[in-house]
Amino acid sequence: MTTDIRHSTGSGLFGRLRSLTARLTAPQNHPLLLPLCAVGLALLVCFIAIWLTGRDPIAGYQKMFLSGLGTLRGLGDSSVKASVLALTGLSVAVAFAAGLFNIGCEGQLVAGAIASAFVGQAIHPGTAWIHLPLALLAAALAGALWALIAAWLKVRRGVHEVISTIMLNWTAIYLVESWLVTGPLSARSETGNSLPGTAQIDPTAELPRFFGQRSDLGFAILLAVVAAVLVWCLLHKTWLGFEMRASGNSAETARASGIPVERRVYLAMAVSGACSGLAGAVLILGIHHQYPAVFRTGYGFDGIAVSLIGGNHPLGLLLAACFFGVIRTGGAALQLLHIHRTFPELIQGLALLFIAGRAIMEHVFLRVHERASAAPENPENTGGDAPEKGTKVTQKSEISAPGGQEAAREARSAQGGE
Amino acid sequence: MLAFIEAVIRSTLDFAPPIILAALGGVISERSGVVALGLEGMMRLGAFFAAVGALATGNAWAGLSLGILAGGIAALGHAWLSIRWRSDQIISGVAINLVAMAGVTFLVEAMYGNTDTAGSATIGRVSLAFLKDIPILGTLCGHTWLTWIALAIPVAMHVLFYRTSLGLRILAVGEKPAAAATLGVSVSAIRYGCVIASGLLAGMGGSALSIATLDRFSNHMPAGQGFIALAAVIFGKWTPLGACSAALFFAAANALRIGLESSLPSLHNVLPSGIMLALPYVLTLLVLAGFIGRSRSPAASGVPFDTEKR
C-alpha cells in the first residue's frame, strides 16, 4: 500500500501538527507505532488503576522505573530479568518465523534449568572454561530436545504445536519439581536427609559477574545479546533461515520449491527450545546456583508477550525485554506502596492484549491518517477530486469516509492473509 | 479398602466440578471454531469475583452469579477480538491469562490488603441423607449443588449438540463455516454465543474453587486447572460427555494420588507424585499422537471466518 502525502506548508502550528500526525500514522510506520501505543496504553491503564485504588501513581511509577535502573544492584537484577525475557522471547520469535507457535517455553526453560543445575553440581572439571560452556550446552540441548518432541508430534502425527507444547509444559514442570528435585536429584545433608532443591553448583559453573557480590550484572545480558544477534543472522543471513521463513509463510509453496519443510520445522523448534533452555540456565547459573524447591517462573509465557511486543524481531524484542526487565525489577519497590510486586506483569499482559487487538489499533491509525492527510489545506492530496473552498466540514467527511473504508478493508484483508 | 475407595470417590466428586465446567466451556468454544486458551484466566476471574460477591453480600449464590458474569465478560472481550477483528485467538487467549493472573493479584491486594480473601459463605450441600448408609452410593451425599450442576450440564450440552438444530448449527460453524454461512447460519452470532457461554462456564468452574471447594479466594488459584480442563477437552475428543468423563478421570487420578500419599507415605519412593501429577498431560499427548485412540480437533478451530474468502 502506498500513500502519497504532500505536506502543507506555512499553515501554522496546527497544520504542521496535522502533517506530522499524517506522517506518523502512515501505514509503513505501523510496525513501530503499534508496540509503542500498546505499551503506552498499558502504562496509562495501570496508572489509572493505581490512582483508582487510592494510591499515588506518580510515586509508584517513579519507584518502578528508577529502582530498576538507579543502583548497581537494581541494574544487575534488571539485566538478568531482561536476558531471561529476551531468551524466551527469541525462542518464541524463531518459532514464529517458521510459522510455529511455541507456547512451551516454560517447559523448555524448566528442562534447561534442571539440566544446567545437574551439570553444574555433578561434574567437577575445576575450570570455568570447561564447566560453564558444558552447563550452558546441557541446558540448550535439554530445551531443544523437549521442544523436538512437539516438532515430532507435529510432523509425524499432525498434532498442533500449541496443544502439545502446553501439555509438555506441565509434564516438564511436574516431572522436574515433584519428582527429580524432591527425589533423585535432591540435595542431601551430612546425615543423608534430603534438603530443599538440588545441590549447589560449583563456583566454576556460575555465570561470571562483573562486580562480584555487589550486582548480578554480568554474562547473562551478554549471552542474550549474542543469542539475539545469532538468531537474527540465522533468520536473515543464511540459506537455512530463508528456508525456515519460507516454510513459515507458506508450507505448500516452500515444499513445491524443494524446501524440506519438515526438517526446517525440526530445526526451528530445536533452536527455539535451545533459547528457552538457555533462559533456564541463566536463572540457575546466574541467580539461584541450584534448582530451588520453589521455581515457578512464568517466564515462558512472558516470552510470548516480549516477542510480540518486540514485533517478533530480535532487536525489537531485545528492547522490549530490557524495558520489562527494568520495570519488573521495580516491582519489588512497589511493595512500599502496598502494590503487589507482580504489578509490572499486569502492564506486560495488557500490552499483549492491545497487541492482540492490533486490527483495532491499525484501524484507528488509518482513520487518523486519512483525517490528517485529507486536510483542507492541501486538496491535491486527494487526487483528482479536489474539493472547492467554502464547505470544509462536509467535504472532509466526504473525502475521508470512502478512503477510510477502503484502507480499512485493505488492512483487514492483509491481516487475514497473514 | 472399601473406606479407601469411598474416600477417593468422595474427593473425586469434590475436585471434579471446576475441571468439568471449564472443560465444557472449552468444548463449546472450540466446537464453534474459537480456540479456548483463555480458560485458565477466565477461571481465575471467576474464582476471585465469586469470592468478592460472596463476601459482599454474604450469599454464595450471589457470589456464584458474579463469578459467572466475570468469566462471561472476559470471554466477550475474547469473542469481540477474535470474531469482529479476526485477531489471533491464541494471542488473545494468552493475553487473557496474563492479564487475569497479574490483574487479580493487584485487585486482591487493593481490595483486601492480602493475597487471599477472608472466608466467606459457600454453596450449600445436598444431603441425600437416605443414601448415607449404603456402601459406595453413600459417597454421593453431602456434595455441593455445584457438583450436581457440573454433572448435569454435560448431559444438557450433549442434547444441545446432537438433538437440536441449534447444536447442529454450532457444529457446522466449527467444521465448515463457509458452508454454514451459505445456508443462512450467522457464523459470528453462533461464535459470539458459544465463546460467551464458554466464559460463563469457565467462570462457574472458577467460582467452584473459591466458594465450594474452599471458602475463600487464594492467590494460587486456579493453579493450572484451566490447562487440565483444556487437556480434558482433547482427551474427551471435543465432546461434552467425553470431556466430562476425562475431567472426572483426571480428578480421580488426583484424588487417588492424594489418598495414597496420606495412607501410604512410603509409596512416594516407588511412584513419585510428580509422575502421577504429569499423568493427565502425558496421556493427553499419547491420545493426540494417536497411540490411544485418535482425537481430531474441529476443522475450523482457530481460523477466523472471513465472508470475503470462500
Side-chain angles (χ1 to χ4, degrees):
Chain A
M1 194 194 310
T2 58
T3 47
D4 180 53
I5 312 155
R6 296 191 202 138
H7 305 290
S8 56
T9 48
S11 52
L13 184 64
F14 184 66
R16 233 179 270 179
L17 214 65
R18 177 174 279 220
S19 86
L20 183 70
T21 316
R23 231 182 312 169
L24 273 180
T25 52
Q28 69 266 25
N29 289 336
H30 287 184
L32 200 63
L33 207 56
L34 185 72
L36 289 178
C37 283
V39 173
L41 272 176
L43 284 171
L44 183 69
V45 169
C46 289
F47 190 90
I48 296 170
I50 299 182
W51 178 68
L52 283 179
T53 53
R55 289 164 290 193
D56 183 1
I58 298 174
Y61 271 39
Q62 244 170 6
K63 279 196 183 7
M64 188 170 72
F65 280 103
L66 292 184
S67 71
L69 286 172
T71 63
L72 197 59
R73 180 164 295 282
L75 210 58
D77 290 352
S78 302
S79 77
V80 173
K81 287 199 169 69
S83 45
V84 175
L85 287 172
L87 284 166
T88 50
L90 278 174
S91 173
V92 175
V94 172
F96 254 133
L100 302 161
F101 208 141
N102 180 9
I103 274 194
C105 300
E106 184 78 9
Q108 294 144 23
L109 183 148
V110 165
I114 191 72
S116 65
F118 177 72
V119 171
Q121 51 93 26
I123 60 168
H124 311 284
T127 163
W129 291 102
I130 301 172
H131 206 176
L132 183 59
L134 274 182
L136 290 174
L137 190 70
L141 270 180
L145 282 176
W146 203 248
L148 279 174
I149 300 176
W152 182 83
L153 284 168
K154 183 179 180 71
V155 169
R156 298 299 295 276
R157 298 277 170 171
V159 181
H160 198 288
E161 73 277 4
V162 166
I163 300 295
S164 62
T165 50
I166 287 179
M167 301 303 142
L168 285 166
N169 273 346
W170 293 93
T171 309
I173 289 169
Y174 285 128
L175 285 186
V176 168
E177 300 202 341
S178 306
W179 175 36
L180 290 178
V181 174
T182 56
L185 293 181
S186 81
R188 301 272 160 191
S189 68
E190 306 274 310
T191 51
N193 295 322
S194 73
L195 298 168
T198 62
Q200 292 283 319
I201 59 169
D202 291 6
T204 48
E206 290 176 12
L207 274 180
R209 292 179 289 195
F210 299 147
F211 301 97
Q213 291 299 320
R214 288 186 12 238
S215 166
D216 283 332
L217 196 64
F219 268 44
I221 193 75
L222 292 183
L223 190 70
V225 171
V226 169
V229 172
L230 286 178
V231 163
W232 184 80
C233 288
L234 170 70
L235 286 179
H236 296 279
K237 292 287 156 196
T238 69
W239 186 239
L240 275 175
F242 171 77
E243 291 193 344
M244 271 160 60
R245 287 185 293 131
S247 316
N249 267 334
S250 163
E252 289 312 306
T253 318
R255 197 172 285 121
S257 18
I259 294 173
V261 173
E262 286 73 22
R263 272 159 57 194
R264 298 302 167 255
V265 167
Y266 281 123
L267 178 69
M269 279 308 269
V271 174
S272 174
C275 288
S276 287
L278 283 176
V282 165
L283 285 170
I284 300 299
L285 308 177
I287 303 180
H288 296 293
H289 299 155
Q290 58 157 185
Y291 194 105
V294 181
F295 182 72
R296 199 58 68 81
T297 66
Y299 277 117
F301 283 108
D302 298 334
I304 298 167
V306 164
S307 177
L308 283 160
I309 292 165
N312 296 325
H313 187 281
L315 184 66
L317 71 86
L318 208 54
L319 286 175
C322 288
F323 177 78
F324 287 112
V326 167
I327 64 171
R328 288 179 70 154
T329 304
L334 284 175
Q335 282 173 308
L336 297 173
L337 292 172
H338 302 289
I339 300 171
H340 200 266
R341 69 189 149 71
T342 56
F343 185 71
E345 291 171 35
L346 180 59
I347 299 176
Q348 192 182 295
L350 282 171
L352 182 66
L353 193 63
F354 294 132
I355 293 277
R358 63 183 300 162
I360 305 172
M361 306 230 302
E362 279 168 357
H363 180 76
V364 171
F365 295 158
L366 277 174
R367 289 302 286 269
V368 171
H369 177 67
E370 292 293 327
R371 281 282 163 103
S373 52
E377 286 88 357
N378 48 342
E380 70 269 48
N381 188 26
T382 54
D385 303 315
E388 287 169 21
K389 281 180 185 172
T391 50
K392 280 180 185 174
V393 180
T394 51
Q395 275 167 10
K396 205 162 72 182
S397 63
E398 266 171 27
I399 296 160
S400 64
Q405 273 175 13
E406 199 176 70
R409 202 177 307 128
E410 217 171 310
R412 225 175 290 148
S413 64
Q415 182 75 16
E418 262 173 27
Chain B
M1 191 61 204
L2 185 68
F4 180 76
I5 293 172
E6 281 187 341
V8 167
I9 295 176
R10 196 162 282 161
S11 57
T12 301
L13 288 174
D14 281 337
F15 288 137
I19 309 174
I20 296 177
L21 291 166
L24 289 173
V27 168
I28 196 164
S29 172
E30 299 231 334
R31 283 313 280 267
S32 79
V34 179
V35 170
L37 274 185
L39 291 178
E40 176 92 356
M42 294 174 196
M43 280 183 91
R44 184 166 168 86
L45 288 168
F48 173 64
F49 282 101
V52 170
L55 277 171
T57 60
N59 182 337
W61 292 98
L64 180 67
S65 316
L66 195 66
I68 292 174
L69 196 67
I73 289 172
L76 179 64
H78 181 56
W80 190 61
L81 283 177
S82 43
I83 300 164
R84 165 70 180 82
W85 295 98
R86 296 185 202 125
S87 300
D88 190 315
Q89 299 163 7
I90 298 168
I91 299 175
S92 75
V94 171
I96 286 174
N97 287 344
L98 289 180
V99 170
M101 189 43 84
V104 167
T105 310
F106 172 74
L107 284 177
V108 179
E109 183 110 53
M111 291 167 69
Y112 302 100
N114 199 338
T115 50
D116 295 3
T117 64
S120 69
T122 55
I123 296 288
R125 290 175 182 275
V126 188
S127 73
L128 295 178
F130 61 94
L131 290 174
K132 210 170 150 201
D133 298 324
I134 309 170
I136 303 293
L137 278 183
T139 57
L140 294 177
C141 28
H143 296 288
T144 66
W145 279 101
L146 271 172
T147 300
W148 298 104
I149 293 173
L151 290 174
I153 292 181
V155 179
M157 199 184 279
H158 178 83
V159 172
L160 169 77
F161 274 1
Y162 303 109
R163 294 280 180 278
T164 68
S165 59
L166 176 66
L168 291 175
R169 280 185 196 145
I170 294 175
L171 302 188
V173 162
E175 291 292 333
K176 277 231 181 312
T182 316
L183 294 175
V185 177
S186 167
V187 174
S188 62
I190 295 268
R191 286 192 174 169
Y192 265 111
C194 289
V195 175
I196 292 170
S198 90
L200 299 175
L201 285 165
M204 197 195 291
S207 310
L209 290 171
S210 63
I211 56 173
T213 311
L214 217 63
D215 65 345
R216 68 195 63 210
F217 175 79
S218 165
N219 201 28
H220 65 78
M221 285 176 183
Q225 301 219 35
F227 291 107
I228 292 219
L230 194 63
V233 172
I234 301 159
F235 199 67
K237 307 191 176 178
W238 281 272
T239 62
L241 296 181
C244 173
S245 321
L248 277 171
F249 174 64
F250 292 163
N254 196 30
L256 189 66
R257 175 183 66 83
I258 292 171
L260 286 176
E261 270 170 13
S262 56
S263 56
L264 290 168
S266 59
L267 186 84
H268 187 77
N269 301 324
V270 192
L271 191 62
S273 63
I275 289 176
M276 295 286 279
L277 282 165
L279 195 67
Y281 304 103
V282 176
L283 284 175
T284 304
L285 280 170
L286 291 176
V287 170
L288 277 169
F291 292 124
I292 315 173
R294 192 89 174 100
S295 188
R296 192 187 66 85
S297 69
S301 185
V303 187
F305 179 60
D306 190 340
T307 39
E308 286 154 33
K309 267 193 260 170
R310 288 283 161 89

